[in-house]
């Protein structure tokens, strides 16, 4: 029974290795949560550790005393994610559907026309000048929504997925006198739900995690999206202090900047992590739909 | 003009369909094709009040500036070497994890570990930079805390440019392991189980099965992913590098990539002409590489070519 013993050893090693990788993946999350719960003076003396000597919720108290600013950037991010994902999903799926219709003769030309932008682009600078000098989108929420509205790879995945919808269905609807847009809305979209869910998730995640467009186009602090807000908190102490409640009297205590930073990280990341178990399914599906076949 | 004929046909016969593609087509025209005309900026001395087209020409001065400054060699080298390292390390880690996950039993165990590996994919690089600070900060980081507690000297990691090469490669792999292993896992699941069964009957061990069945079956996937990686070899992951390094110039020598360089030149020093030149240079290189790699994929595996 050599092979079965060998198999046992192998499974044990594989299990251990996978466990270690999984733990490594969670480890930083753990460190940040623990760090945010460590009293500031302990951080100053001992640094961040796996387990603090005492716990303190002071950093969170400071964060929630006057949560207006972080709530505001939450609102900005939720808004642009919602609006951006909805519009993007709609126009991309509509275009993807048409581009695989066999009777649409320009399909190859349009596909190449769109795909060429993946191969070649003008670079950051001309695009930036277009956005700011010609379209005047500085300090405009559209500057956070438009840049990620059309992703060519999602369009192509969508187009490939739409091929699985039987053409006979569309034909018979046409014979019944339904218009093209009506067919798309009432027949194609419901059948494309799996792809819509998965690709929608990817689009939403891109919007949610974007900070670059905030940095490029937003000067008004009240319009910062969440991730850029967090970036500013982490990189500038003055910004960090201004984010904390001014009403709390710290006395002669130092400002708890270290634990406060981490508490804000937790506040900014927490909800998406809580949402995560529910969307993981679509995520995995999305990867396998679009995998390799980009 | 075949495409013009087709277009005329569709205007007559399929106006509704044409209208439905319009949002995306218009978007691409405005946000992708219009900026392409802006590449003339690379050959101009940009004057804000004159706009792109009113600014005076300056020949190849912007390019010369980039190459003579000595930064060209550094950022190009970094971009390419990091991408090569990412391709190698990520694929090895992802394939190993995928094989291991496919071998172990227990649905709950599989689900939990995979769930944990996906977490990094979900967060932005901003949050990762908070993680890194939390662990590597000189004064309070857990790493230096550990060093101190065992009697060692703390290290100021934020000034050690060589260390960041490893940190960045590690973090990139860390962030993508969940995603990449699912791609490979899907490929492994597609392998006919009968092959494994007959190999077991013939007395093959676990490692032999991996060596002679799993790895050869994964080869097409690996080849495609690697070739695609090579196609993008001149594109630096801006989010990663900017969040890890930011404006810490102590680390630029080993961590500055084309994308971060262009971004900083544009936003902080307002060198429109020069950064446009670098951007154009990068676009041309990317175009050449993507076209070449696609040509290769078409020969290796036409099914998976990009176009």
């Amino acid at each position: 029974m050599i092979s079965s013993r060998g198999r046992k050893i192998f499974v044990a090693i594989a299990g251990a290795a996978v466990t270690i990788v999984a733990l490594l993946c969670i480890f930083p999350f753990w460190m940040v949560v623990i760090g945010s719960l460590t009293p500031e003076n302990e951080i100053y003396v001992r640094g961040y550790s796996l387990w603090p000597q005492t716990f303190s919720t002071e950093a969170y108290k400071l964060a929630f005393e006057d949560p207006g600013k972080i709530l505001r950037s939450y609102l900005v991010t939720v808004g642009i994610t919602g609006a951006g994902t909805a519009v993007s999903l709609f126009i991309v799926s509509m275009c993807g559907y048409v581009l695989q219709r066999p009777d649409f003769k320009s399909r190859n030309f349009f596909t190449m026309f769109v795909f060429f932008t993946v191969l070649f682009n003008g670079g950051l600078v001309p695009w930036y000048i277009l956005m700011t000098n010609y379209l005047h989108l500085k300090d405009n929420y559209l500057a956070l929504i438009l840049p990620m509205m059309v992703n060519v790879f999602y369009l192509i995945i969508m187009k490939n997925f739409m091929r699985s919808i039987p053409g006979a269905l569309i034909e018979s609807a046409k014979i019944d006198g339904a218009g093209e847009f009506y067919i798309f809305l009432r027949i194609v979209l419901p059948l494309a739900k799996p792809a819509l869910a998965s690709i929608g998730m990817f689009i939403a995640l891109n919007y949610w995690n974007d900070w670059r467009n905030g940095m490029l186009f937003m000067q008004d602090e009240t319009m910062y999206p969440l991730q850029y807000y967090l970036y500013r908190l982490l990189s500038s102490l003055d910004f960090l202090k201004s984010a904390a409640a001014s009403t709390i009297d710290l006395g002669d205590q130092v400002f708890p900047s270290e634990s406060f930073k981490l508490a804000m990280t937790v506040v900014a990341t927490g909800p998406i992590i809580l949402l995560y178990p529910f969307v993981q399914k679509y995520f995995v599906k999305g990867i396998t739909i679009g995998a390799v076949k980009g | 003009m075949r495409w013009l004929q087709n277009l005329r046909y569709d205007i007559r016969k399929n106006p509704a369909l044409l209208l439905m593609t319009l949002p995306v087509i218009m978007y691409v025209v405005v946000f992708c094709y219009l900026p392409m005309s802006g590449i003339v900026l690379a050959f101009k001395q940009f004057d804000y009040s004159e706009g792109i087209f009113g600014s005076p020409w300056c020949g190849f001065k912007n390019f010369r500036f980039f190459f003579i400054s000595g930064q060209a060699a550094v950022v190009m080298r970094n971009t390419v070497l990091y991408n090569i390292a990412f391709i190698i390390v990520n694929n090895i880690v992802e394939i190993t994890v995928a094989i291991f996950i496919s071998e172990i039993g227990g649905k709950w165990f599989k689900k939990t570990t995979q769930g944990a590996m996906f977490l990094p994919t979900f967060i932005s690089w901003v949050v990762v930079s908070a993680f890194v600070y939390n662990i590597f900060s000189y004064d309070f980081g857990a790493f230096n805390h550990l060093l101190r507690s065992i009697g060692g000297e703390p290290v100021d990691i934020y000034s050690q440019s060589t260390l960041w090469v490893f940190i960045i490669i590690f973090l990139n792999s860390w962030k993508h392991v969940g995603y990449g292993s699912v791609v490979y896992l899907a490929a492994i699941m597609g392998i006919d189980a009968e092959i494994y069964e007959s190999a077991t009957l013939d007395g093959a061990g676990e490692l032999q099965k991996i060596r002679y069945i799993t790895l050869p079956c994964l080869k097409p996937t690996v080849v495609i992913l690697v070739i695609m990686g090579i196609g993008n070899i001149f594109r630096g992951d801006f989010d990663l590098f900017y969040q890890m390094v930011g404006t810490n110039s102590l680390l630029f020598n080993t961590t500055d990539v084309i994308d971060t360089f262009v971004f900083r030149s544009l936003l902080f020093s307002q060198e429109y002409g020069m950064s446009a030149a670098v951007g154009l240079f990068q676009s041309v290189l990317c175009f050449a590489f993507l076209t070449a790699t696609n040509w290769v994929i078409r020969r290796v595996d036409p099914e998976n070519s990009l176009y």
Side-chain angles (χ1 to χ4, degrees), chain A residues 25-36:
Chain A
C25 286
I26 324 177
F27 172 71
F29 291 88
W30 169 265
M31 289 299 289
V32 163
V33 173
I34 288 297
S36 69

Side-chain angles (χ1 to χ4, degrees), chain A residues 265-286:
Chain A
T265 309
V266 172
V267 172
T269 320
I272 194 104
I273 301 293
L274 293 180
L275 208 66
Y276 164 69
F278 303 100
V279 293
Q280 192 193 347
K281 191 175 72 182
Y282 300 106
F283 197 60
V284 173
K285 238 189 237 154

Side-chain angles (χ1 to χ4, degrees), chain B residues 72-137:
Chain B
V74 173
V75 296
M76 275 164 59
R77 178 200 67 194
N78 288 344
T79 310
V80 171
L81 288 184
Y82 272 111
N83 277 323
I84 292 175
F86 290 163
I87 293 171
I88 296 172
V89 174
N90 287 7
N91 278 303
I92 291 176
V93 171
E94 286 157 10
I95 291 172
T96 314
V97 168
I99 290 177
F100 281 174
I101 289 181
S102 74
E103 294 283 343
I104 51 180
K107 217 177 167 189
W108 184 85
F109 181 72
K110 267 187 190 177
K111 257 201 146 153
T112 325
T113 47
Q114 267 196 302
M117 285 180 213
F118 263 127
L119 271 180
T121 319
F122 263 77
I123 53 169
S124 73
W125 280 104
V126 179
V127 177
V128 180
S129 83
F131 289 173
V132 170
Y133 175 79
N134 177 250
I135 292 168
F136 290 129
S137 140

